[in-house]
Amino acid sequence: MHITQEIVQEEYEWVRERAPVVVPLINETRSRLGDQFEVDVSRVSVEAYDDCIEAVFADGDRAVNVATLVRLLRRLDVDGDYPGFVVDELLGRELAAMIAGEQPLRLLSEATFHVADVHVHGDEADGAGVDDLDAALAAGTQTRLPGWPWREGASPFAVE
């Protein structure tokens, strides 16, 4: 695979066009996690998703890696699917983390990836990696975006 600036642009556009699939998954995931942790979590709009993806791709070093993982997952398929289970999970988890950013968001997005992934089932025509790609986009974006009560203020653990 050869990645160029044009390929990064193509994957950026594809990820943005995926909003009708990913944004509902983000909100379903936030709802499930909010119920689990007994907190209200803000919903994410298509505009917030677009802004997040724009910020991720504005960082060229991050963009080339995100685009490469997106392209790999879009094209990944394995006969019978199960033998490829590990690789699509690994790529999806890493993509979610890369979108989310630095720790602790990186780790939280990896855990959230698995929550989203168990509720995503691609079309039969899709490759094995597409449902993991959707779960990764949802997990990484929802983790990066505000809306969680614990992120709304300064940490009480900061040393001044």
Side-chain angles (χ1 to χ4, degrees):
M1 179 185 318
H2 183 77
I3 301 295
T4 63
Q5 203 287 322
E6 292 78 23
I7 298 295
V8 173
Q9 182 69 36
E10 286 175 22
E11 296 307 327
Y12 165 72
E13 291 169 9
W14 187 89
V15 168
R16 287 198 56 188
E17 291 169 4
R18 201 72 179 159
V21 173
V22 176
V23 172
L25 180 56
I26 290 169
N27 290 319
E28 291 167 14
T29 302
R30 280 186 163 205
S31 179
R32 281 186 190 94
L33 290 170
D35 290 347
Q36 180 70 35
F37 296 111
E38 299 177 350
V39 296
D40 291 324
V41 186
S42 300
R43 294 182 60 76
V44 171
S45 67
V46 170
E47 293 78 19
Y49 172 79
D50 285 344
D51 289 347
C52 179
I53 297 305
E54 186 175 318
V56 166
F57 277 86
D59 175 353
D61 293 339
R62 188 177 308 267
V64 69
N65 289 288
V66 167
T68 301
L69 288 170
V70 168
R71 183 148 285 205
L72 284 168
L73 282 163
R74 283 181 60 195
R75 295 181 172 187
L76 178 65
D77 203 8
V78 177
D79 288 344
D81 189 24
Y82 184 76
F85 171 75
V86 172
V87 72
D88 58 8
E89 296 291 309
L90 178 70
L91 294 172
R93 195 182 74 212
E94 185 58 33
L95 176 57
M98 208 173 283
I99 290 169
E102 304 307 319
Q103 296 294 8
L105 300 180
R106 180 178 177 80
L107 180 62
L108 290 171
S109 70
E110 291 182 53
T112 302
F113 165 77
H114 294 290
V115 172
D117 189 37
V118 297
H119 297 286
V120 178
H121 308 288
D123 295 332
E124 285 293 319
D126 290 338
V130 174
D131 60 338
D132 296 278
L133 174 52
D134 289 339
L137 293 171
T141 303
Q142 86 79 33
T143 304
R144 184 180 181 106
L145 290 171
W148 289 92
W150 65 271
R151 292 194 58 207
E152 297 304 316
S155 172
F157 299 102
V159 177
E160 295 181 25

